[in-house]
Amino acid sequence: MFVVACNPKPVEKTGENDVIYVDVPFLQETHEAFYVTSNDNDNEIRSIALDANFNVWIATASGVFRKDKDTRNWTPVIEGESRGPAYSVSINPNGDILLGTWNGLYRFSDGKLTKAEGVKPPVSVICNDGDENYALGPYGIWHSKNKTWEEQPYHIARSVQDAIADKDGNLWVATNAGLYRCKDGKTELIQNTNELISCYAQAISEGPE
């Protein structure tokens, strides 16, 4: 969204005390806020994702919410006793939405919400490797195959902050104890200050080739 503002610019003096100004338009970015609720925890956003239908999904300190396209209202996705702190939302290439929460991993598919079995909560981070997904938390790493979750033999710090899977089959995990590279059952910890500014790795992203 853009607004037009005006900048006065003198262009001509018609007399000793008279100055004519003309407005010079320019473009300035603005933002439009989509307030969740009056509850502070609802507005503490930890993860955000946009699905193929342009619906917005957010994980907040009080749960998962969805804002449908062309609306301003946020709808809780998980209700009842299962509602609680959420940490991650991720959109699969097939359109499924994965939700990492305090009490486990959920999948929203074809309008239905189901809870995954075999993943120990809480789920801090979810990432996709192109075909399947990883779910990570303080108690381990799980990888999905045909919607079945299998625990992986990787031992990393409990303070998982972010993760990505690259095309070479590496799982990179950012934690407060450093950066981990996991592949073929082996784990490498990178925390030397010659390689990282700080071992407190908060986010990770793969750059262009």
Side-chain angles (χ1 to χ4, degrees):
M1 178 179 293
F2 294 91
V3 295
V4 177
C6 296
N7 181 31
K9 178 181 178 182
V11 293
E12 181 182 355
K13 286 190 175 183
T14 59
E16 184 177 350
N17 298 317
D18 297 327
V19 179
I20 296 177
Y21 287 88
V22 61
D23 288 336
V24 179
F26 63 92
L27 297 178
Q28 177 176 316
E29 288 191 39
T30 65
H31 80 278
E32 185 175 3
F34 292 91
Y35 203 58
V36 183
T37 72
S38 59
N39 184 343
D40 289 342
N41 287 337
D42 291 346
N43 294 288
E44 185 184 318
I45 299 173
R46 297 164 171 178
S47 180
I48 184 169
L50 182 70
D51 67 23
N53 296 317
F54 299 99
N55 303 314
V56 182
W57 300 73
I58 56 174
T60 78
S62 64
V64 179
F65 293 84
R66 184 185 72 218
K67 188 187 79 65
D68 293 336
K69 180 184 177 183
D70 298 327
T71 70
R72 300 189 62 88
N73 299 322
W74 295 91
T75 303
V77 177
I78 302 173
E79 296 278 23
E81 295 182 355
S82 295
R83 180 174 174 176
Y87 307 99
S88 183
V89 292
S90 179
I91 311 296
N92 265 5
N94 67 359
D96 289 358
I97 295 91
L98 298 179
L99 316 171
T101 75
W102 70 282
N103 72 339
L105 180 72
Y106 292 82
R107 182 187 298 268
F108 189 88
S109 178
D110 296 327
K112 297 180 180 180
L113 183 70
T114 58
K115 186 177 181 181
E117 296 183 359
V119 179
K120 189 174 182 179
V123 175
S124 309
V125 172
I126 304 165
C127 72
N128 184 271
D129 65 1
D131 297 316
E132 299 290 352
N133 301 279
Y134 285 97
L136 303 87
Y139 299 111
I141 299 174
W142 288 263
H143 187 244
S144 64
K145 290 184 178 180
N146 299 320
K147 297 186 178 181
T148 299
W149 294 88
E150 299 178 356
E151 188 171 5
Q152 302 299 293
Y154 301 123
H155 301 286
I156 63 172
R158 293 162 58 94
S159 53
V160 178
Q161 303 297 312
D162 197 7
I164 61 169
D166 66 24
K167 64 180 182 180
D168 297 320
N170 296 295
L171 175 66
W172 299 87
V173 187
T175 77
N176 286 343
L179 177 66
Y180 289 85
R181 182 170 71 92
C182 306
K183 184 180 181 180
D184 297 332
K186 298 179 181 180
T187 304
E188 176 189 2
L189 173 59
I190 303 170
Q191 59 181 184
N192 192 306
T193 54
N194 292 328
E195 300 170 302
L196 295 176
I197 296 176
S198 168
C199 67
Y200 290 94
Q202 301 298 299
I204 182 171
S205 178
E206 187 175 7
E209 295 183 0

